[in-house]
Amino acid sequence: MKFSLLKHFGVLSACFGFWPILLVAQSSDATQNLADCKNGWESCDRSKLSQSEFADVAHAEHRRDVSNCRNSFQSCDRSKLTPQETIALALADHQQNVADCKNGMTSCDHSRLSQSEAGESSLAQHRRNLENCQDAFGDCDRSRLTQAELRTVDLSLRERNVSNCKDGAGACERSKLTPSQATEVLAAEHQHNVWNCENGWDQCDQSKLTAPETVQVAVSEHRRNISACTAGEEACDYSRLTPTEATMLAASEHKRNYTACLTGSGYCDLSRLSVEEAHSVYLKQNAAR
């Protein structure tokens, strides 16, 4: 009898031990189910919702419907909106239509515009057409421009053509240049070529350089070569260095190599050290041990 009682109490203790775990699991499931219902997911089990949770889910569904209507989604159900929300939605739709018409969007419904809004939309379209004509970008309808606007557009196009020819970018129609503009373009092209040659770029045509420019380009090329050799770059041409430059470069490289060996930082070639330098490096390494 005593053994049976002990066994009975043992079973009860085990059950009570698992009870908190079961409560936590049920709470977690309920929280997840509530979230699923608020999000409108198929995994939602409404039978497990409390009365207050039903209210929370209904509120979430309503806010989702308001959002769907504001974004013109097919899932919008206008019949579920309150009178205030319906008015706000109608106002937002009207403002969006006005903006679409002003911006030339295909979604524009001109029939829904007021007289003043239609006038503003027409003015915005005219300005957009004028800008397109001036920029030679997009659709341009010259027939809709006034005579003054046509003159402004033609002036802008001529100035852009001159700029394109000078910069070597965009469409350049040389036939539309005046004699003075053609001279300016040639001068700009010449300067571009000089700049390309001085910087060692591929677009350089040395045959078009004057004698002084050729000298200046040669000086620039020599400086670039010295810089490349000093930095140990592949572009370095040692054969183009003067004896003095070669000597200075060798001395600088020798000093760098000795410093690297002495400090243990950087590329070090011990074979290039003098006897005294090698001895100093040996002493420094042993002192550090």
Side-chain angles (χ1 to χ4, degrees):
M1 182 68 176
K2 184 177 181 181
F3 177 76
S4 298
L5 287 173
L6 290 173
K7 182 178 181 181
H8 180 68
F9 281 120
V11 171
L12 288 176
S13 298
C15 290
F16 282 119
F18 283 111
W19 184 251
I21 299 175
L22 293 174
L23 288 177
V24 171
Q26 290 177 352
S27 176
S28 177
D29 291 342
T31 302
Q32 183 60 51
N33 184 62
L34 176 60
D36 294 347
C37 292
K38 283 185 175 182
N39 290 316
W41 294 342
E42 293 182 359
S43 53
C44 163
D45 186 351
R46 290 177 177 269
S47 65
K48 295 181 178 180
L49 298 176
S50 66
Q51 188 173 358
S52 62
E53 289 174 340
F54 259 115
D56 290 343
V57 170
H59 180 72
E61 288 176 340
H62 184 78
R63 296 313 306 166
R64 188 162 54 251
D65 186 56
V66 171
S67 177
N68 291 338
C69 292
R70 282 300 184 101
N71 290 284
S72 301
F73 294 158
Q74 290 183 349
S75 52
C76 161
D77 186 350
R78 290 175 179 258
S79 65
K80 294 182 178 180
L81 301 179
T82 65
Q84 294 81 3
E85 290 168 344
T86 300
I87 293 173
L89 177 60
L91 177 61
D93 286 345
H94 184 81
Q95 291 173 336
Q96 185 60 54
N97 185 61
V98 171
D100 291 346
C101 293
K102 286 184 177 181
N103 293 320
M105 306 294 289
T106 56
S107 54
C108 162
D109 184 352
H110 289 278
S111 65
R112 294 169 54 194
L113 299 177
S114 66
Q115 186 174 357
S116 61
E117 290 168 344
E120 293 174 359
S121 175
S122 177
L123 179 60
Q125 290 178 4
H126 186 82
R127 288 174 177 168
R128 189 164 50 253
N129 182 62
L130 176 60
E131 291 174 356
N132 289 341
C133 293
Q134 287 179 323
D135 298 337
F137 178 78
D139 296 330
C140 165
D141 187 352
R142 292 176 65 92
S143 65
R144 295 168 55 191
L145 301 178
T146 65
Q147 289 300 316
E149 289 171 341
L150 282 172
R151 288 192 293 271
T152 300
V153 166
D154 290 340
L155 177 61
S156 296
L157 293 177
R158 287 195 297 270
E159 290 176 347
R160 180 171 292 101
N161 184 58
V162 173
S163 178
N164 289 344
C165 293
K166 283 183 176 181
D167 297 337
C172 165
E173 297 185 51
R174 292 179 179 270
S175 61
K176 293 185 178 181
L177 298 175
T178 65
S180 62
Q181 290 171 342
T183 301
E184 292 176 5
V185 168
L186 289 174
E189 289 176 340
H190 184 81
Q191 287 303 314
H192 285 317
N193 184 60
V194 172
W195 179 255
N196 291 338
C197 292
E198 286 188 346
N199 287 281
W201 294 337
D202 293 337
Q203 297 83 359
C204 162
D205 185 350
Q206 298 216 10
S207 65
K208 294 181 179 180
L209 300 176
T210 64
E213 289 168 348
T214 300
V215 173
Q216 181 59 41
V217 167
V219 171
S220 297
E221 289 178 344
H222 191 74
R223 287 174 179 169
R224 279 199 308 277
N225 187 59
I226 293 176
S227 177
C229 294
T230 302
E233 297 175 356
E234 182 182 353
C236 166
D237 185 351
Y238 292 96
S239 65
R240 295 173 57 189
L241 298 175
T242 66
T244 302
E245 291 167 346
T247 300
M248 291 178 61
L249 182 64
S252 176
E253 169 56 24
H254 186 86
K255 181 179 179 180
R256 183 210 62 77
N257 184 64
Y258 173 58
T259 302
C261 296
L262 194 64
T263 61
S265 175
Y267 173 70
C268 163
D269 185 350
L270 293 172
S271 66
R272 293 163 50 194
L273 300 178
S274 66
V275 175
E276 293 79 4
E277 291 170 341
H279 183 65
S280 297
V281 170
Y282 174 78
L283 293 177
K284 181 72 178 293
Q285 289 176 345
N286 281 295
R289 291 174 183 173

